[in-house]
Amino acid sequence: MIKNDLKPTDLKTSDFNFDLPQELIAQHPYQKRDSARLMVLDRSNQSIEHKVFSDVIDYLNPGDTLVINDSKVIPARIYGRKIVDGEESANCEFVLLRQKSLDTWETLVKPGRRLKERAVVSFGDGILTATVKEIVDDGNRIVEFSYDRSNGKTLYSILDEIGKMPLPPYIVEELQNNDDYQTVYARELGSAAAPTAGLHFTPELLEKIKEKGINVVPVMLHVGLGTFRPVKVDSITEHVMHSEFFSVSEESAKIINETKKNGKRVIAVGTTSCRTLESATDENGIIKAMEDDTGIFIYPGYKFKMVDALITNFHLPESTLIMLVSALAGKEYVAKAYAEAIDNKYKFFSFGDAMLIK
C-alpha cells in the first residue's frame, strides 16, 4: 500500500503502488449514472463515509462552485489498411490524439514501424484516407486526412460513422453505446478519453444542484491518452507530463473568482478540471480567462491555489492521478481510503465508483 511521510524529492513511483484485485476494475458503466457508490473523505477530521453518488448534493453548499470539464470524446479509434501500389495491404489502427489544423492530427498508430513518411492508409472502404506527414516517435505520427467534403461531410461526421471510442486498455469489453463514455454535459469535441469523474452526473442531479444555489461552471481540457500512460521513472520528480490543451472563459473565470472572494468553495469535478484550474490560476489565487497548453504535474508537496475540494474516481496504481489525489488529501489518508475501498469492493477506474475529497 502507499507509503507515507516522504519529502517530495524522495517520492518514488513505487510509493504509489498497491494491489488491486482484477475483479474490482469496472468493465461496464452504471445503468443509472448517479447510482454509483461515493466515498466521502473529510480532511478536517480524517473521516471516511460511504454513500451513493446522488448524495453528493448534501455536501455542496449554496454559493459553492462546481467546475466541470465539458470536453467531448471523439470516437477516435479507427481501423484501416495500408495502401501499397494501389492495393490494400497490412491492417493498421489509428487513435487521433490532438488536432494540429483542420484535417491534420497527431495520431497514435499501430504498428508504427510499417508507417513511414508518405505512407497512405484507407479507412471505411475508402471514405477516409490518411497520409503520414511526419514521424514524431515510434508510435506517433502527424497525419493529414482526406475525404469527400460534399454533402457537408466533416472529419468528425466520418468518425461518427466508422470510429470507436478509445477506451482505456483496462476495459477489455467493447462499448455498446458510445454515449456511455460521454458526460451528459460534453460539448466541445477534442478528447481522446473521457473526464470520467463527470460520468456520474445526470441532468436531473445537476438541476437539483443548481436549484440549491450552487454554480455549475464549465472549463475545458482535451484529455489525451497520456493520462493512461504509466510513470516509467523511479523518482516522480523526473516524470514529464504529457501536454494538453485547455481553456477558461471570461464568464467562468468571473464566477470562480467571485466564489473565492465570497469565501465559498471551488469544487473540481475530476483531475482534468483540477489541473485546468491550477494551470490558469496565478500566485495570488486569481484565475485568468485563457487558452493554453498545460503539462502541470501535481504530486504531494504541491500547494493548491484554487481547488478546495475534488470529485474523482479511484485511480491506477503508480499513476499521476493517484499522485494528484494524494497531494490534495495526503498520502496516508489516501492509503487508508484506498484500502477501505478495496475491502468494501468499490469499483475502480473509468466506469467505477467515486470519491469526494472535501
Side-chain angles (χ1 to χ4, degrees):
M1 194 34 99
I2 303 166
K3 296 179 184 178
N4 306 293
D5 303 325
L6 295 174
K7 298 176 182 178
T9 53
D10 296 331
L11 290 172
K12 303 296 183 185
T13 301
S14 58
D15 296 327
F16 296 87
N17 195 15
F18 61 92
D19 294 323
L20 180 68
Q22 192 75 16
E23 64 269 19
L24 296 186
I25 300 174
Q27 294 296 317
H28 307 283
Y30 278 91
Q31 285 192 338
K32 190 172 185 302
R33 290 173 181 247
D34 60 1
S35 67
R37 298 169 75 183
L38 176 69
M39 178 182 283
V40 181
L41 275 59
D42 187 336
R43 290 178 290 165
S44 67
N45 59 17
Q46 301 283 289
S47 65
I48 296 175
E49 293 182 276
H50 301 279
K51 299 288 184 176
V52 176
F53 191 81
S54 56
D55 295 329
V56 74
I57 191 171
D58 298 333
Y59 298 91
L60 306 177
N61 303 318
D64 287 345
T65 292
L66 199 66
V67 180
I68 59 175
N69 178 9
D70 65 359
S71 181
K72 191 171 186 177
V73 186
I74 306 166
R77 178 171 274 121
I78 51 178
Y79 299 92
R81 294 176 68 85
K82 184 179 178 182
I83 303 298
V84 178
D85 297 328
E87 299 291 331
E88 293 187 353
S89 58
N91 291 326
C92 302
E93 175 187 336
F94 279 30
V95 178
L96 281 68
L97 298 178
R98 185 167 184 157
Q99 190 174 29
K100 295 292 189 179
S101 61
L102 180 61
D103 291 319
T104 302
W105 284 73
E106 182 174 351
T107 306
L108 176 67
V109 303
K110 294 180 183 179
R113 66 183 182 278
R114 291 181 180 170
L115 296 177
K116 310 297 184 185
E117 286 189 23
R118 295 186 294 280
V120 177
V121 179
S122 173
F123 303 92
D125 296 324
I127 66 171
L128 181 69
T129 60
T131 302
V132 176
K133 295 296 184 181
E134 180 184 341
I135 296 174
V136 179
D137 56 30
D138 287 344
N140 286 25
R141 301 288 185 272
I142 305 298
V143 304
E144 183 176 3
F145 290 101
S146 301
Y147 50 91
D148 182 358
R149 290 174 173 78
S150 62
N151 299 318
K153 285 282 188 182
T154 67
L155 178 59
Y156 288 131
S157 67
I158 291 172
L159 292 175
D160 281 338
E161 289 181 43
I162 66 173
K164 294 184 179 297
M165 285 299 194
L167 293 178
Y170 47 74
I171 296 177
V172 297
E173 299 182 23
E174 190 164 317
L175 195 63
Q176 297 303 308
N177 183 351
N178 279 355
D179 286 342
D180 287 340
Y181 197 56
Q182 299 280 20
T183 62
V184 296
Y185 46 73
R187 183 185 59 84
E188 187 169 345
L189 282 164
S191 279
T196 53
L199 294 178
H200 301 295
F201 287 94
T202 64
E204 296 78 15
L205 179 57
L206 286 167
E207 192 57 37
K208 288 178 183 178
I209 287 170
K210 293 174 184 177
E211 288 173 357
K212 190 177 176 180
I214 295 137
N215 304 303
V216 178
V217 171
V219 295
M220 193 281 297
L221 182 142
H222 287 325
V223 188
L225 287 185
T227 192
F228 304 116
R229 287 177 178 161
V231 178
K232 295 183 178 180
V233 292
D234 292 332
S235 174
I236 68 169
T237 56
E238 297 175 5
H239 177 68
V240 178
M241 287 287 285
H242 57 289
S243 180
E244 294 163 317
F245 177 76
F246 75 92
S247 67
V248 179
S249 70
E250 292 277 1
E251 183 179 1
S252 291
K254 180 182 178 182
I255 295 171
I256 293 166
N257 285 326
E258 286 177 351
T259 301
K260 299 295 275 193
K261 183 178 178 180
N262 293 333
K264 302 297 184 178
R265 297 177 303 165
V266 172
I267 300 148
V269 177
T271 57
T272 59
S273 296
C274 177
R275 293 176 66 240
T276 301
L277 289 166
E278 294 298 312
S279 297
T281 301
D282 65 22
E283 295 304 319
N284 297 315
I286 305 298
I287 192 167
K288 304 291 180 66
M290 62 190 302
E291 294 184 352
D292 204 350
D293 293 335
T294 181
I296 190 173
F297 182 17
I298 298 174
Y299 54 85
Y302 178 85
K303 302 301 181 186
F304 286 84
K305 299 173 290 186
M306 178 56 70
V307 173
D308 298 302
L310 174 68
I311 296 169
T312 189
N313 282 14
F314 291 88
H315 302 296
L316 280 73
E318 299 189 348
S319 66
T320 61
L321 306 180
I322 193 172
M323 294 171 190
L324 183 153
V325 171
S326 298
L328 183 64
K331 290 175 75 273
E332 185 174 351
Y333 194 16
V334 170
K336 179 183 177 183
Y338 269 58
E340 193 160 322
I342 291 169
D343 288 344
N344 285 274
K345 301 192 182 307
Y346 274 67
K347 292 294 187 178
F348 277 62
F349 308 161
S350 296
F351 288 140
D353 294 311
M355 173 186 286
L356 166 64
I357 301 169
K358 68 185 190 78

